[in-house]
């Protein structure tokens, strides 16, 4: 019995020793890195919105920062309405009556730092190439899509009172509208979209991290975060999982795409049409509204079988524009010509799907040129 207690004592001492070593190691990596964040200081629920599902915080951005895998870092600021705050004084210098343009979109519209965004680059083009001043309002934010654009437009249009509206609909939006937001849309007694509730998976993630942060020991936080990552969140994801997967519809080469994705397309079209009605009610003139579409790399670069992605999403947007007398510009053909035989040079590497700075500049120039020729009437 005495030997048994002696063995247990040595085992307990060994466990304590290793626990201390791991605790010190985790605190050191947090201090010098972190490689695996256990401080979790910036985790909160401030990003939640039952109108826009998720919203930018004024200064502290905890959602994706695009391009960060390249080593490029930057800060973003937003006002209380979710519009980017930028320094555009140089673009507006000497302007008596600038033309105002509201830009809606997801991360492709949100862009990077102040000057590397589509709205800024468009305004720069008009200033330098046309001598026209644009006051741009960038309301683009990560993973926004037509389902969210509807309540967002209802909120912003009476505040911003733009002369023109540009909406960037991305390839991911079909997935977002159907798989992520469809069951979260809140409708009033007239069936109108008045908001998109907080995503339960995102809420579960933030709550789990906030609970892990309460533990005094980093070793306990580490265990809690692993449990959240590999047990708790996968269970929540499975509960809300959709059969539609991101880009599955884009790379499909079948002949019956309209029928195969009819349910997702129905939801997508309904959101696009509801957005169209909101924009028409404000503008009274379809020529003041422009929907734009851009290619992903696989729209331009064939896979091993020689296939490029289809136009299921962009053609759906185009049909909505035709039906509502809106302007539509698909930049795919233009960028295919501008990007040449190496389109990959215009996108980020390391799995980031977005345009890099060169790609964004070319896309912005293409959009600006179309706006100048078909949309904006100078008055300054």
């Amino acid at each position: 019995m005495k030997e048994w207690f002696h063995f247990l004592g040595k085992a307990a001492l060994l466990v304590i020793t290793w626990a201390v070593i791991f605790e010190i190691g985790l605190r050191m990596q947090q201090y010098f890195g972190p490689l695996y964040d256990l401080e979790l200081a910036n985790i909160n629920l401030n990003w939640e919105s039952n109108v826009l599902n998720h919203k930018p915080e004024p200064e502290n951005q905890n959602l994706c920062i695009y391009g960060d895998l390249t080593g490029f870092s930057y800060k973003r600021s937003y006002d209380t309405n979710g519009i980017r705050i930028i320094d555009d004084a140089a673009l507006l210098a000497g302007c008596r009556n600038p033309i105002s343009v509201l830009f809606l979109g997801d991360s492709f519209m949100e862009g990077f730092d102040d000057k590397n965004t589509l709205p800024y680059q468009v305004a720069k083009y008009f200033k330098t190439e046309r001598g026209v001043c644009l006051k741009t309002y960038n309301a683009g934010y990560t993973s926004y899509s037509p389902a969210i654009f509807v309540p967002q437009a209802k909120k912003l249009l009476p505040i911003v009172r733009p002369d023109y509206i540009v909406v960037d609909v991305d390839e991911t939006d079909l997935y977002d509208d159907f798989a992520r937001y469809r069951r979260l849309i809140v409708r009033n007694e007239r069936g109108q979209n008045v908001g998109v509730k907080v995503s339960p998976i995102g809420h579960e993630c933030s709550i789990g991290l906030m609970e892990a942060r309460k533990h005094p020991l980093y070793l306990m936080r580490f265990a809690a975060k692993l449990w959240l990552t590999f047990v708790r969140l996968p269970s929540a994801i499975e509960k809300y999982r959709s059969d539609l997967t991101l880009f599955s519809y884009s790379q499909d080469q079948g002949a019956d795409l309209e029928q195969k994705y009819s349910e997702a397309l129905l939801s997508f079209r309904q959101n696009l049409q509801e957005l169209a009605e909101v924009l028409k009610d404000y503008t009274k003139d379809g020529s003041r509204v422009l929907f734009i579409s851009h290619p992903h790399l696989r729209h331009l670069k064939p896979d091993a079988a020689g296939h490029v992605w289809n136009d299921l999403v962009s053609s759906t947007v185009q049909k909505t524009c035709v039906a509502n007398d809106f302007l539509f510009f698909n930049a795919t053909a233009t960028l295919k010509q501008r990007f040449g035989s190496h389109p990959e040079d215009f996108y980020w590497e390391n799995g980031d799907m977005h345009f890099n700075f060169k790609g964004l500049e070319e896309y912005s120039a293409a959009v600006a040129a179309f706006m100048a020729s078909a949309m904006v009437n100078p008055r300054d």
Side-chain angles (χ1 to χ4, degrees):
M1 182 64 71
K2 193 172 183 180
E3 292 180 358
W4 178 248
F5 278 114
H6 181 67
F7 172 77
L8 289 179
K10 290 180 65 176
L13 181 60
L14 184 63
V15 169
I16 292 172
T17 300
W18 277 108
V20 171
I21 292 173
F22 275 114
E23 180 70 18
I24 294 173
L26 290 172
R27 288 182 179 271
M28 288 182 65
Q29 69 85 34
Q30 182 71 37
Y31 180 79
F32 290 106
L35 298 174
Y36 193 68
D37 182 29
L38 295 173
E39 190 67 23
L40 306 172
N42 295 324
I43 305 300
N44 54 55
L45 300 179
N46 293 343
W47 61 270
E48 294 189 345
S49 170
N50 281 320
V51 176
L52 304 177
N53 183 261
H54 59 288
K55 59 184 173 66
E57 299 178 55
E59 296 287 346
N60 183 27
Q61 292 304 304
N62 293 313
L63 292 180
C64 299
I65 294 182
Y66 300 97
D68 59 357
L69 295 178
T70 68
F72 175 72
S73 61
Y74 53 95
K75 292 183 178 181
R76 301 166 294 173
S77 298
Y78 295 80
D79 66 16
T80 56
N81 296 309
I83 295 175
R84 285 282 296 268
I85 299 173
I86 64 169
D87 180 5
D88 57 355
L91 296 179
L92 295 175
C95 300
R96 296 187 305 273
N97 191 22
I99 296 170
S100 60
V101 187
L102 173 63
F103 290 84
L104 303 177
D106 64 1
S107 52
F108 279 87
M109 183 65 76
E110 176 187 1
F112 309 99
D113 57 340
D114 284 6
K115 295 183 179 181
N116 287 293
T117 70
L118 185 143
Y120 189 95
Q121 292 290 326
V122 166
K124 180 181 177 182
Y125 173 95
F126 271 88
K127 180 79 169 182
T128 59
E129 301 294 329
R130 305 283 175 158
V132 176
C133 293
L134 296 187
K135 174 59 181 177
T136 62
Y137 297 91
N138 184 355
Y141 194 54
T142 178
S143 298
Y144 278 11
S145 67
I148 294 178
F149 296 158
V150 174
Q152 185 186 31
K154 291 178 181 178
K155 173 186 177 182
L156 292 180
L157 290 175
I159 298 172
V160 176
R161 304 299 301 173
D163 298 310
Y164 298 95
I165 303 161
V166 177
V167 184
D168 190 344
V169 180
D170 179 46
E171 193 75 15
T172 59
D173 288 353
L174 177 60
Y175 171 82
D176 286 339
D177 268 15
F178 181 74
R180 300 183 65 185
Y181 305 135
R182 176 171 51 100
R183 290 178 288 184
L184 302 177
I185 295 176
V186 178
R187 299 191 180 275
N188 61 18
E189 63 280 358
R190 290 179 289 177
Q192 297 170 321
N193 177 350
V194 295
V196 181
K197 295 187 296 185
V198 172
S199 297
I201 297 173
H203 178 77
E204 187 81 5
C205 180
S206 292
I207 289 295
L209 292 174
M210 291 166 67
E211 291 175 350
R213 185 176 59 198
K214 295 178 182 178
H215 297 298
L217 297 178
Y218 274 36
L219 187 58
M220 297 170 67
R221 296 185 187 187
F222 180 71
K225 194 172 180 180
L226 288 180
W227 175 266
L228 174 69
T229 303
F230 296 106
V231 180
R232 186 170 170 180
L233 278 184
S235 177
I237 291 171
E238 180 61 27
K239 180 179 179 181
Y240 297 100
R241 186 181 65 85
S242 170
D243 291 334
L244 184 71
T245 57
L246 186 60
F247 299 137
S248 60
Y249 47 87
S250 307
Q251 53 195 317
D252 197 326
Q253 300 298 317
D256 59 342
L257 298 184
E258 291 278 343
Q259 178 62 33
K260 184 174 181 179
Y261 300 103
S262 59
E263 189 179 4
L265 285 170
L266 176 61
S267 177
F268 187 51
R269 289 177 180 134
Q270 287 177 337
N271 291 331
L272 284 171
Q273 183 54 40
E274 188 167 2
L275 174 62
E277 291 168 3
V278 173
L279 300 182
K280 282 195 299 184
D281 183 62
Y282 170 77
T283 62
K284 313 298 182 185
D285 180 2
S287 66
R288 293 171 59 192
V289 178
L290 168 64
F291 278 71
I292 57 178
S293 178
H294 56 82
H296 283 244
L297 177 58
R298 287 303 172 190
H299 284 110
L300 305 175
K301 185 176 182 179
D303 59 19
H307 297 137
V308 294
W309 283 1
N310 60 54
D311 66 346
L312 181 64
V313 174
S314 60
S315 64
T316 300
V317 178
Q318 183 176 20
K319 290 174 184 176
T320 299
C321 290
V322 170
N324 291 278
D325 295 322
F326 291 161
L327 298 171
F328 176 72
F329 175 60
N330 188 341
T332 300
T334 302
L335 295 186
K336 182 177 182 179
Q337 182 179 19
R338 293 190 180 191
F339 291 177
S341 58
H342 293 285
E344 65 275 9
D345 293 342
F346 296 85
Y347 294 83
W348 293 117
E349 299 177 353
N350 301 317
D352 191 318
M353 71 178 75
H354 299 84
F355 293 122
N356 59 24
F357 296 153
K358 291 193 302 180
L360 178 62
E361 184 177 0
E362 293 290 351
Y363 177 43
S364 301
V367 171
F370 182 87
M371 290 175 63
S373 64
M375 185 183 189
V376 174
N377 297 312
R379 66 171 188 234
D380 192 13

